[in-house]
Amino acid sequence: MATKTAEGAGTETGAQHDEAVAETAVTEEAPEQQETGEETAAAESGRASGVGQGAGAVVSAALGLVSLNGGWVGTVASARAQLMGQLKTSSQAGVAQQIKAVYGDAWHATALWAGLFAVAALVVGVAVLARPAFGAPGRPQAPWIKSVAWGGVALGVVGLLLAALKYSDALLGLPSAG
């Protein structure tokens, strides 16, 4: 009987030991699960910031394209300047004054708005490119974001150059009336 009791006690001790090991395993797995949850939240926030940077890069490229073609706002500003020039210029004004008031001011309004869109493209593109320097270290920016942002910056530079040339009449200046 002593043997059975010793075996029974040994079995109980073994069962208690197994339960203790199982509890330890559960306790050890819980921090890992918590870390995984924290890593998942960090990864989701990293993806969210990547989405914002990608959107900023696309916006920069779109603004650069608008700076090249003038856009709707530039067209409306040009039409308004042309109408104002027609209203302010009398029929007795000289041809040079009429050309400047009707067409020159409209051309300059288009150039001004194109320049504003170009500056906006530059600012947004540079902000997207500079963002990783102020973000979390060790998180590289996706290559496509860099490419699109650089494209937006390049379009902004070209748009700003063309706008300056149009506004100064160096590019397609007004015809002389004399």
Side-chain angles (χ1 to χ4, degrees):
M1 274 217 170
T3 310
K4 288 183 183 177
T5 308
E7 287 177 10
T11 305
E12 287 176 13
T13 305
Q16 289 174 350
H17 176 68
D18 290 342
E19 287 177 17
V21 169
E23 287 177 17
T24 304
V26 169
T27 307
E28 289 177 359
E29 287 178 358
E32 290 176 8
Q33 290 173 353
Q34 290 173 354
E35 289 176 10
T36 305
E38 291 171 4
E39 290 172 2
T40 304
E44 288 176 5
S45 69
R47 278 186 239 137
S49 68
V51 169
Q53 291 178 21
V58 170
V59 166
S60 173
L63 287 170
L65 286 174
V66 170
S67 76
L68 294 178
N69 69 14
W72 178 78
V73 176
T75 304
V76 169
S78 173
R80 183 179 185 280
Q82 189 173 12
L83 180 61
M84 295 300 293
Q86 288 173 352
L87 292 174
K88 289 182 180 180
T89 306
S90 70
S91 61
Q92 296 172 352
V95 175
Q97 186 180 3
Q98 287 179 357
I99 290 173
K100 183 191 177 309
V102 175
Y103 299 107
D105 291 346
W107 184 248
H108 290 154
T110 302
L112 180 67
W113 279 100
L116 291 174
F117 278 111
V119 168
L122 282 170
V123 168
V124 172
V126 168
V128 169
L129 290 171
R131 172 64 176 101
F134 301 106
R139 284 195 180 161
Q141 195 173 38
W144 73 269
I145 294 174
K146 288 180 184 179
S147 298
V148 174
W150 275 114
V153 168
L155 288 170
V157 167
V158 170
L160 191 58
L161 178 66
L162 289 175
L165 290 173
K166 284 192 295 187
Y167 195 81
S168 66
D169 291 332
L171 178 68
L172 300 172
L174 292 174
S176 63

